[in-house]
Amino acid sequence: MLWFCSTMKILLAAACALAVAHATSIMVAEARQDARPAPLTTFPDGTGKAVAVRLCLDCHPVVDVTRHRESRAGWAAILEKMIGEGASINDADYEALVSYLSVALGKKIKINEVSAEAIAETFDVELDTAAAIVKHRTEHGPFKTWKDVAAVPGIDPKRVEEQKDNLDFSVDFRPRPGRR
């Protein structure tokens, strides 16, 4: 009987340790998924930084701006909202600001895996143009560099070059649930 109780205690301790390890691994995986970069206390260097400093800091602390990670279309929508709330931004500053924010505080995408909708939002292009990128990727295989994406007929190479630092070219070959 003593042997049985000792064995049960060991098995119970092992089961508890496994449960804790499993829960910890889930929490770490979720934290990695939800992890956002800490807000910056200054605007990153780049073309358009002076415009961002001049226009954004009139109303917002730096960390309120730098905590966001948005696509080009996302930043354009935010600027449109600011204009609707009374911000005065001329056309040249608007373009410089959208470009700067989408590059310096952009949202990274896995260009070899995302949908046409995500590509359209990242590059702020029409859906049919983004669909051409997906079609090219499907027919010719994964992109290796931003220049491969820029070479797709119909896409503005300057827009792709602008967003090159927000493109992740890795390819996940793990099977997805429901696929073999």
Side-chain angles (χ1 to χ4, degrees), residues 14-66:
C16 287
L18 283 173
V20 168
H22 179 69
T24 301
S25 69
I26 289 172
M27 290 184 334
V28 167
E30 288 174 352
R32 256 190 233 125
Q33 259 181 347
D34 295 336
R36 298 188 97 181
L40 304 171
T41 55
T42 62
F43 284 107
D45 289 335
T47 304
K49 176 182 177 179
V51 175
V53 168
R54 179 170 43 87
L55 295 176
C56 297
L57 295 183
D58 279 349
C59 300
H60 308 283
V62 172
V63 295
D64 283 0
V65 178
T66 63

Side-chain angles (χ1 to χ4, degrees), residues 68-71 75 101-108 163 166:
H68 293 281
R69 294 294 181 268
E70 297 291 339
S71 64
W75 280 114
L101 292 171
S102 70
V103 170
L105 303 171
K107 187 163 124 182
K108 295 204 181 290
Q163 295 297 319
N166 292 323

Side-chain angles (χ1 to χ4, degrees), residues 72 99 102-103 123 145-151 155-167 169:
R72 193 173 211 291
S99 179
S102 70
V103 170
F123 295 126
T145 70
W146 69 268
K147 291 180 180 180
D148 296 338
V149 180
I155 187 78
D156 179 359
K158 289 180 181 169
R159 188 63 60 84
V160 177
E161 183 176 11
E162 170 193 84
Q163 295 297 319
K164 69 183 177 188
D165 292 336
N166 292 323
L167 302 178
F169 293 95

Side-chain angles (χ1 to χ4, degrees), residues 111-112 114-116 119-120 123 125-141 143 148-150 152-156 160:
I111 192 68
N112 289 312
V114 297
S115 66
I119 293 170
F123 295 126
V125 297
E126 297 296 323
L127 189 56
D128 60 338
T129 302
I133 293 172
V134 171
K135 181 179 179 192
H136 189 277
R137 176 183 75 198
T138 303
E139 292 174 353
H140 301 282
F143 298 108
D148 296 338
V149 180
V152 174
I155 187 78
D156 179 359
V160 177

